[in-house]
Amino acid sequence: MEKVRLGIIGIGNMGSDHARSLLAGKVPEMELVAVADLRETRRQWAKESLPDTVRIFEDGDSLIEAHCCDAVLVATPHYDHPRFVVKALDNGLHVMSEKPAGVYTKQVREMNEAAACSDKTFAMMFNQRTNHVYRKMKEIVEGGAYGEIKRVNWIITDWYRSQAYYNSGGWRATWAGEGGGVLLNQCPHNLDLLQWICGMPVKVQAFCHNGKWHDIEVEDDVTAYLEFANGATGVFVTTTADAPGTNRFEVTLERGKLVCEDGQLTFYELEENERTYCFETTEGFAKPAGHFVQLETDGENLQHIGVLRAFAANILRGEALVAKGCEGINGLMLSNAMHLSSWLGRAVTLPVDEDLFLEKLNELRALSAEKKEVQEATFDTRGSYGAK
């Protein structure tokens, strides 16, 4: 096999962006051979915008069953991600899933079990892991030279979305169609990065406000408190209603502090461990001495095309993936814990109670709006992700 023949299931905002990247030759070892979408408007777009060599299917099941691909990329509404992943693997196809891995961890755990029994590649589209800034943060934290994490703060409020965005699809911003709001749609990358760099918290207390700033039934404003096994604490704040918004990610270590803001990473290094200084100094107000360090990175930030290139290289030569599919459950676990905490009005421990979460989610799905005002639209997502 010289090139991986790829089919894209779902050619909405992200699926069409991936299609354009492939047609532009940005992933040299991958060829777009098929697309599928339930909507006639998107299939018509495909007929008008894609080469005649690309087959167009009315649904993902038909695309998979046609066996015209080596791999598929699942870019459908969230609830369908695990179903299509499992079906593709069962049909001998490699699979890349868009974020999130699914809506609830019980569903995703079953998907991961199916993937573990397959000899095909299963990967997640966690494109922010390609960002040199986040890779450097992970390197410093995991290296251990600067001690343990003491505090984690991430305020990520530059996910602005208008009412038109939420009205663009009947499934959007509903419990039955999407399964959540900002936590499940915009923040899977941030939640994945948080646990990828800092590890998983053991306790979460969250306050999720549904339809606070938009006419929607799911959360568009969240503040969460986190506790880690070593005693470190954290705060995660997000919304889709702030303008201009903020994106500031801080990780305080025993011997330094990392701050990522506006795509720039700064590091303040202490000359000695703060824990040692705290108990040995005779000063009452003085802080341990330190200085800013100029960090060097490789500067690469390939985003989605980097993930797809690695996916192709893994299939063709066994090279490393950016993110294994089984890792998708971790950020989703955080999202589920925040939702469950808010629904129960108390802190919850991780791993989350999967049965209780699904019970509460199903209650909301049963009450979910059957009809909503829809003004169908597909938006160009290029430039919307950057360093978030």
Side-chain angles (χ1 to χ4, degrees), residues 282 343 387:
T282 58
W343 296 339

Side-chain angles (χ1 to χ4, degrees), residues 155-319:
I155 176 168
I156 171 69
T157 60
D158 61 347
W159 290 120
Y160 188 81
R161 296 293 185 269
S162 68
Q163 188 64 40
Y165 167 83
Y166 290 114
N167 291 347
S168 67
W171 64 283
R172 287 197 181 280
T174 65
W175 293 111
E178 190 164 17
V182 63
L183 289 176
L184 208 61
N185 193 313
Q186 285 74 39
C187 285
H189 291 301
N190 309 105
L191 296 175
D192 172 65
L193 289 170
L194 193 153
Q195 65 82 29
W196 187 57
I197 295 169
C198 304
M200 286 289 284
V202 295
K203 182 184 290 187
V204 172
Q205 172 93 55
F207 302 89
C208 303
H209 301 275
N210 299 333
K212 183 174 183 178
W213 306 110
H214 304 87
D215 184 15
I216 57 175
E217 61 185 47
V218 295
E219 83 286 350
D220 58 1
D221 194 296
V222 176
T223 298
Y225 164 77
L226 316 172
E227 289 186 5
F228 295 82
N230 72 336
T233 59
V235 176
F236 185 82
V237 178
T238 191
T239 183
T240 54
D242 281 10
T246 299
N247 185 356
R248 183 179 176 92
F249 183 19
E250 299 182 359
V251 180
T252 300
L253 303 164
E254 291 176 326
R255 281 201 57 225
K257 181 176 181 178
L258 288 159
V259 178
C260 175
E261 186 167 21
D262 298 327
Q264 302 296 317
L265 181 62
T266 59
F267 183 48
Y268 188 84
E269 179 182 6
L270 299 180
E271 295 179 5
E272 63 179 301
N273 190 301
E274 181 278 329
R275 293 288 74 206
T276 302
Y277 177 88
C278 177
F279 292 102
E280 292 185 356
T281 183
T282 58
E283 298 291 334
F285 294 91
K287 298 178 182 179
H291 57 279
F292 284 99
V293 177
Q294 184 69 38
L295 296 175
E296 293 186 5
T297 72
D298 60 21
E300 286 192 352
N301 185 16
L302 295 175
Q303 293 293 321
H304 301 90
I305 62 171
V307 177
L308 289 174
R309 288 176 184 177
F311 183 45
N314 178 270
I315 294 170
L316 296 173
R317 296 181 297 281
E319 295 181 18

Side-chain angles (χ1 to χ4, degrees), residues 133-143 196-197 258:
V133 170
Y134 296 129
R135 286 188 281 114
K136 176 58 71 171
M137 293 181 76
K138 180 178 175 65
E139 176 188 318
I140 291 173
V141 171
E142 286 193 345
W196 187 57
I197 295 169
L258 288 159

Side-chain angles (χ1 to χ4, degrees), residues 13-14 16-17 20-21 26 379-386:
N13 294 346
M14 286 309 309
S16 56
D17 192 20
R20 283 188 288 263
S21 293
K26 295 180 180 179
F379 302 105
D380 189 340
T381 64
R382 288 171 290 186
S384 68
Y385 37 88

